[in-house]
Amino acid sequence: MVLGINRRNALIARRNPPEAVRLVRDKLRTKTQLRSHAVPVPPTLATISHVDDARDLDWDGLGEGWVMKPCASSQGRGVMVVVGRRGGSWALAGGQVVGLRRLIAHAEAIVDGDHSGGRPDRAIIEPLLVPHPEILALAPVGLPDIRVICLDERPLLAMMRLPTRTSGGRGNLHQGGIGAAVDLRTGRVTRAVHAGREITDHPDTQAAIVGSVVPEWSAVLDAARRAGVTCGLGYSGSDVVVDASLGAVVLEVNAHPGLEIQNVCGVSLFDLISGMSRRRTRM
Amino acid sequence: MSSEPALAHTSLETAHLLAALPLGAALTVAARTVLGARTIGVFAPALLGLVLVDLGLRAGMVVILVAALGGLAALPIVVRLALPRVARLGLLLSAICAALEVSGLADDQRAAMPVVVMTVLVERGWDVASGDGWRASTTLIGSTVLLAVVIASLLLTPPVEALLSAGGLRPVVVGGLLVALAGSYRGLRVGEHRRFASLRNSEIAQVA
């Protein structure tokens, strides 16, 4: 039987306490919690809590590449990716070049809650992560990540999300990203799905996705299995990035992970969870 | 000589609209949990449904359409101004009020009922469009309005009208019970049958 949204929500209501759900909705609190338990996360360059913070920030001192994102947004909303400097301006991932006023306006919009359903928010600035060369060879655009679904500390399913040109550099499957099922034991990609169709190669680069192995797989799995429980979640979906210099880092922990991973992996989460419960009962 | 209100009265008295709200909410919950309908705002369809009940389906749809067009017409300017969200919402609300005024619909005070909901609807629609494209946004707004029409049509059926007209707590209790019933449905949503079709077919094949 497939795990649908209704049954997943019931599972979440049972396994994820409200305070843990609130925690993971706040990326900054999540990072603090994970870091205090030695779960690897990207460093934080700056946080902006008030409009004044945005004006007082030393934007020149942030370095060449960095990412500004809302603390409480989802699905990549409100994320600004700076890839370098162009004179006194900043070059964005989409090719635009913007000035200081635009950066401050974006930070203010985040603080005003423009990307968080109108609720006041904070902006986090992190260094731009660079994918591990082996992943970069598969998808040269955007930032691929690995979503691992866990029940307590036990990983159930994993998929790598690879951005494409049509997805605008985003890994989200509904926006045109590729979902690649990853074997939990070996880290090898066993199956890949793009726009509802099974594929073997990346449509932009023709690089073979199926058969490739996620680098530093044991570190990815270890980070993911610890991230959910560290945040107090019984059922979680952790997003892990393998950075070229930092290695495996947890980018986000989700209390309501999506269900499309079942289609990508060709496996029902409901069956996996019921199988575990039956085994536990027998023991 | 006073001008005639542009909008017609329906059989459901305004006094009973409050009692109709839990029933509208129950229908929204059922549409989400059973059908898998995606709408803007949890209770926006129920509130718009009440607007349609109060104004009548045809006149209500005219008000909703004029409000939507007013908001959409102002959207490019509002977006270009790059204002904070609260100011953006305020400007959209002003544009919607202006559209209702210009079209002569504002003569009837009941036309003010959907203004806030429509403001949020247009703003949220723009938000979705900027992330997922206008197709996704149109689908979301369309399903919200369509569900409102379904809710209004059901609220205007004789048995529901009789329940609401009886007054008292009964319609509210019935609405609350229906919300609880629809909310405890755990099966696949209608849309999910297609979404997971290949996975379900492979499971069936394995069992066979």
Side-chain angles (χ1 to χ4, degrees):
Chain A
M1 194 190 293
V2 179
L3 185 71
I5 294 175
N6 293 329
R7 214 175 284 278
R8 181 206 64 174
N9 290 348
L11 174 73
I12 288 166
R14 270 203 322 274
R15 306 295 301 246
N16 293 347
E19 61 272 21
V21 175
R22 274 196 296 277
L23 171 73
V24 297
R25 278 187 185 150
D26 185 323
K27 292 187 181 75
L28 207 53
R29 281 183 61 210
T30 303
K31 279 180 81 171
T32 308
Q33 177 75 3
L34 294 176
R35 199 179 289 122
S36 69
H37 287 76
V39 178
V41 289
T44 304
L45 297 176
T47 55
I48 298 169
S49 307
H50 304 284
V51 174
D52 290 344
D53 296 347
R55 291 177 190 147
D56 297 342
L57 183 69
D58 175 18
W59 294 90
D60 289 317
L62 291 175
E64 284 285 311
W66 46 267
V67 177
M68 173 161 46
K69 56 188 179 186
C71 242
S73 78
S74 59
Q75 300 188 329
R77 288 189 196 282
V79 178
M80 179 183 260
V81 181
V82 171
V83 292
R85 297 297 303 264
R86 296 283 182 278
S89 303
W90 286 263
L92 304 184
Q96 267 183 298
V97 176
V98 298
L100 184 61
R101 260 180 69 180
R102 171 77 192 280
L103 298 182
I104 293 174
H106 190 75
E108 287 176 353
I110 290 176
V111 171
D112 278 342
D114 268 27
H115 308 285
S116 323
R119 284 182 297 276
D121 198 359
R122 286 173 294 174
I124 319 173
I125 301 180
E126 292 174 347
L128 183 65
L129 297 178
V130 178
H132 187 283
E134 286 172 32
I135 296 179
L136 202 60
L138 293 177
V141 288
L143 183 65
D145 67 358
I146 299 112
R147 159 69 59 90
V148 184
I149 304 283
C150 293
L151 193 68
D152 297 325
E153 278 197 322
R154 173 147 191 187
L156 298 175
L157 286 179
M159 71 167 167
M160 182 157 54
R161 296 184 297 189
L162 300 162
T164 61
R165 286 202 184 95
T166 49
S167 74
R170 290 180 179 188
N172 304 50
L173 303 188
H174 75 283
Q175 287 169 329
I178 298 166
V182 182
D183 179 71
L184 289 174
R185 208 168 43 81
T186 61
R188 188 175 294 279
V189 173
T190 55
R191 190 169 185 262
V193 176
H194 179 230
R197 285 187 308 113
E198 216 173 316
I199 57 165
T200 53
D201 305 333
H202 195 291
D204 297 334
T205 60
Q206 275 69 54
I209 297 171
V210 175
S212 63
V213 178
V214 176
E216 303 190 22
W217 178 241
S218 59
V220 170
L221 212 52
D222 183 57
R225 76 162 86 226
R226 286 164 56 212
V229 284
T230 298
C231 293
L233 298 174
Y235 179 73
S236 64
S238 298
D239 298 341
V240 184
V241 168
V242 187
D243 180 79
S245 52
L246 298 171
V249 286
V250 176
L251 211 55
E252 208 170 301
V253 183
N254 299 278
H256 296 78
L259 298 166
E260 196 56 25
I261 194 169
Q262 297 177 106
N263 276 334
V264 170
C265 297
V267 177
S268 153
L269 277 166
F270 182 84
D271 292 344
L272 286 174
I273 294 166
S274 339
M276 282 174 65
S277 309
R278 275 198 298 273
R279 276 195 295 277
R280 228 175 257 163
T281 315
R282 257 187 252 135
M283 280 160 35
Chain B
M1 198 175 78
S2 65
S3 62
E4 282 291 311
L7 309 171
H9 281 272
T10 58
S11 52
L12 196 64
E13 287 177 34
T14 308
H16 297 136
L17 285 177
L18 185 69
L21 202 49
L23 286 173
L27 292 167
T28 305
V29 174
R32 278 180 169 237
T33 58
V34 181
L35 301 178
R38 289 187 64 226
T39 58
I40 290 175
V42 181
F43 293 121
L47 291 169
L48 284 180
L50 290 192
V51 168
L52 294 173
V53 166
D54 193 33
L55 298 175
L57 275 179
R58 194 176 296 173
M61 281 306 291
V62 170
V63 169
I64 287 172
L65 194 66
V66 169
L69 289 175
L72 287 171
L75 204 48
I77 302 164
V78 174
V79 170
R80 201 170 301 153
L81 288 172
L83 297 168
R85 186 169 186 253
V86 62
R88 197 165 61 226
L89 283 167
L91 267 187
L92 282 176
L93 185 134
S94 308
I96 288 172
C97 290
L100 292 171
E101 189 68 49
V102 169
S103 59
L105 293 165
D107 291 346
D108 191 317
Q109 288 187 353
R110 290 174 300 157
M113 273 180 69
V115 167
V116 173
V117 180
M118 289 307 295
T119 302
V120 174
L121 209 69
V122 171
E123 200 259 352
R124 181 89 180 91
W126 167 74
D127 187 39
V128 172
S130 54
D132 301 333
W134 276 105
R135 194 173 161 193
S137 172
T138 310
T139 308
L140 205 55
I141 293 175
S143 59
T144 305
V145 175
L146 182 67
L147 183 56
V149 173
V150 171
I151 289 171
S153 305
L154 287 170
L155 290 177
L156 288 169
T157 55
V160 180
E161 260 194 277
L163 176 70
L164 293 171
S165 302
L169 269 179
R170 196 185 298 172
V172 177
V173 171
V174 170
L177 287 173
L178 288 174
V179 167
L181 190 66
S184 29
Y185 173 68
R186 296 283 176 264
L188 285 183
R189 300 175 177 189
V190 170
E192 288 179 327
H193 286 280
R194 209 179 70 176
R195 181 184 177 189
F196 297 118
S198 60
L199 193 55
R200 294 177 70 231
N201 289 343
S202 67
E203 282 184 340
I204 291 164
Q206 278 174 17
V207 171

